[in-house]
Every structure is written in structure tokens, then in C-alpha cells.
Amino acid sequence: MIVTFEAGGNVPPALAVGEEFRARGDRVRVLGHRMQRATVEAAGLEFCAYRHSPTWTPHAHHTTWTVLTMGLEMVTHPGIGRDLGDVVREDPADLVIIDCMLLNALDAAGREGLRHVALFHTCYGFFDGSFRRGPFGIVPRLKGLGPRRLWGQADLALVCSDRAFDPAGGRSDDHLFWAGAVHDAKTAAVRRMPPLVLVSLSTAGFPGQRAALQNILDAVAGMDIEVVVTTGPAIDPAGFHTPANATVHRYVPHSELMPSCSAVIGHGGHATTFRALAHGIPMVIMPMSAVTDQPGIGKAVAAAGVGQVVSKASSPERIRGVLGEVLSTDGYRDAAAELGARLRATHAASVAVDRLSTLIGSGG
């Protein structure tokens, strides 16, 4: 059983692991929000909906305070743990894979004596760093749901990220297992002329996101490039001032665009970032939220020499200059190509299931 919730980039690694288990003949169920049913069933997995979840509207446009309070309620509300307990008592599971942010579910799994794994969909260094030291660590600890304790009591901490990219990747700890970054890239992107640039800032609605998108559109006006902007469900694509060389869509599959992209402007979400890097595409990272992994991902991208970071309040002139440098500098392209080749060499979901299967087979 996989226990997850709709928070954007946390879902694809969980479903990829589920699909790999199913391909090997296992039965896989996913416990999540009703809005996830179509996505889960499209992956060929069984779906169970939460019955006691708190209010969760991730695709609405919220203030920073609402995002924070709603998120804290989501990861600590006892209803999530109650639902997990009810489902596995009615229909037991050999292994429960739980999103590492769902501290309520991890707590319930421990109390129920379930064999379970904490799944980290981005760098472990972020979760054991700014996440644990910030509101999402402090408030849960006050409620008896300390992240380190709950991650530690799981049978395994499964990290679906690239170990060399992770600030915590140098740790020697048998409880931690890096499977690699989950992505769907099969080949390196092939540059075309004029260059194609994809812009995608998040499926969630962060404050300042619409203004940032407009600044990007103003920045690319007149550049000899083609730009495709995807806004996601939280931002209405109508109403932007769009230059002749750009189009704005609510949704276009990134898997259709990235094989011919020359650069991606992203928010630093782990899923989008590693999909681009696995294609060997250099990036401009514009973090939308300081309380997520986005700033850390941006720093890692810059440190790896595969892109640059700009503030979401950056002027069109600043964005234009940085994008032009990333597009025209061989060093960014070469570093991204090298990293992409390494990422494509690992099928992370398969590596993860190989390791998880040993837990089931060994009985612990």
C-alpha cells in the first residue's frame, strides 16, 4: 500500500514505485485524496480515498499563511492515520510506503506495528535540514510527531533523488537508501533553432507566481527563442500580456516538450528539475516558496554548474540576462549533458523495488 497526498512533485515517485511493483506481479493500492483517483487508476493501481482527511485544496491560489496552516494540518491531522489503520485492518498489506511528510500516517503505522517505509521524493538533506528545523518540524514535534523519530522508526528511509546531488548524500547510514531520481527521460534533448524554452513554475498557487510569470514573458519578448509557458491548475492562463514568440497554456505534457528544449525556467520543484536535468537541459531556477525544497534545489543546480538561480521578484531585465547566459554558455550545456547521461543510466523505480522487495522477503 502507498499512502500519499496531492502536493505535486511528491506523487510521481510514489506511483512509479507502485507501477514497478505491479509490473512484477504484486497488488498495489494507493490511499490518497479523491482528486487523485484518475491519476492513480491511469497508472493501473487500485485507489482508496481518505475518509477523514482535513480540507485540502492545493491547486487554489492561497496566501503564504494559508499554505502553511493547511499544510501543517494535512501532515498532523489524526484522520489520515485513522484511515490508514482502518484500510489495512480490513485488507492487510505486506508493506506500506508512506510519503515522508505524512507524519500522522507514519505515526499510525508504527502504532499498528506495520512494516513500513518513509518515501522521500526530494533530497534527504532538505527534509533533515530546513524542513525539520522549520514550521513543519517544530509544530509536529509539539504534537508528539517529531519527524526524525518517525522517519527513524520506519523500516527504511527510501530517498528518490540523486545521491551525488543530495547535500546529505555523503552520510553512511544503513537506514537510508538512495534509489536515484525518478524521471521519464529516455534520451538527451536535441536542440532546435530557434531554441525552445519551457517555463513552468508550479502546479500549486504560491503568492507572487502570476507576477513572476508575467515578468518572464516580458523578459523573453524580442529574444530569438520560442517560449512555452504552462501555468498549472492554480493559475488562469488568460489575461497575460504574451509576446509573439510565446504561448501560454494551463497544461501541456512536459514529456512532449523537453526532448527538444534548450533551457527550462522552473521553480526548483524536484520532479520538474530532474526531468529537465535527465534530458540534459540547463535551467534557470526561480523558487516560489522559501519553506519548500525549492531554494535548496536551486542552490544545488547552481553548484553543479547546470544553471542559475534568480529571485521570483527579479525584473524582466535580470531574467533576460540570466536566460541569455544559460542559453549561450557551453559550460551549462556540457555540465547538464554529463549529468543527464548519468541520471538516464539508472532506473530509480526498479532500484527502489529491488530494495523494498528484500524487506518483504526477509520479514523485516
Side-chain angles (χ1 to χ4, degrees), residues 105-311:
L106 288 165
D107 180 59
R111 288 187 284 102
E112 295 280 345
L114 302 174
R115 187 178 302 127
H116 65 286
V117 169
L119 189 152
F120 296 79
H121 67 277
T122 186
C123 298
Y124 185 81
F126 159 69
F127 281 112
D128 198 42
S130 58
F131 178 92
R132 186 177 59 81
R133 293 192 296 266
F136 283 93
I138 296 170
V139 174
R141 277 198 296 276
L142 295 175
K143 297 183 176 183
L145 299 173
R148 262 196 177 172
R149 177 181 68 82
L150 295 172
W151 298 335
Q153 77 175 15
D155 292 275
L156 185 73
L158 173 67
V159 186
C160 288
S161 186
D162 182 66
R163 185 167 190 168
F165 201 85
D166 193 330
R171 296 188 189 183
S172 178
D173 184 344
D174 291 340
H175 186 255
L176 284 170
F177 180 78
W178 279 266
V182 173
H183 59 80
D184 58 5
K186 300 293 188 293
T187 60
V190 177
R191 291 167 56 86
R192 73 185 200 189
M193 297 302 293
L196 174 64
V197 176
L198 169 65
V199 178
S200 178
L201 293 187
S202 182
T203 57
F206 291 106
Q209 191 165 316
R210 187 176 186 90
L213 286 169
Q214 185 60 66
N215 283 341
I216 293 170
L217 289 167
D218 293 343
V220 302
M223 295 181 72
D224 187 21
I225 60 176
E226 179 185 349
V227 178
V228 176
V229 177
T230 60
T231 65
I235 304 292
D236 187 346
F240 285 102
H241 177 67
T242 306
N245 62 337
T247 57
V248 181
H249 311 267
R250 190 178 293 277
Y251 174 74
V252 177
H254 290 175
S255 58
E256 296 178 4
L257 297 172
M258 285 193 184
S260 56
C261 277
S262 293
V264 171
I265 301 178
H267 61 300
H270 189 273
T272 300
T273 299
F274 273 89
R275 173 180 269 173
L277 294 178
H279 280 94
I281 305 169
M283 304 192 70
V284 175
I285 301 295
M286 181 183 284
M288 291 291 107
S289 171
V291 298
T292 66
D293 62 333
Q294 297 165 23
I297 293 290
K299 289 179 182 178
V301 164
V306 295
Q308 290 199 39
V309 183
V310 296
S311 163

Side-chain angles (χ1 to χ4, degrees), residues 80-117:
I80 298 297
R82 176 181 171 186
D83 285 344
L84 170 59
D86 289 346
V87 169
V88 295
R89 279 191 293 272
E90 295 168 4
D91 190 356
D94 296 307
L95 182 68
V96 182
I97 302 169
I98 303 171
D99 190 298
C100 70
M101 294 186 289
L102 290 175
L103 304 172
N104 37 20
L106 288 165
D107 180 59
R111 288 187 284 102
E112 295 280 345
L114 302 174
R115 187 178 302 127
H116 65 286
V117 169

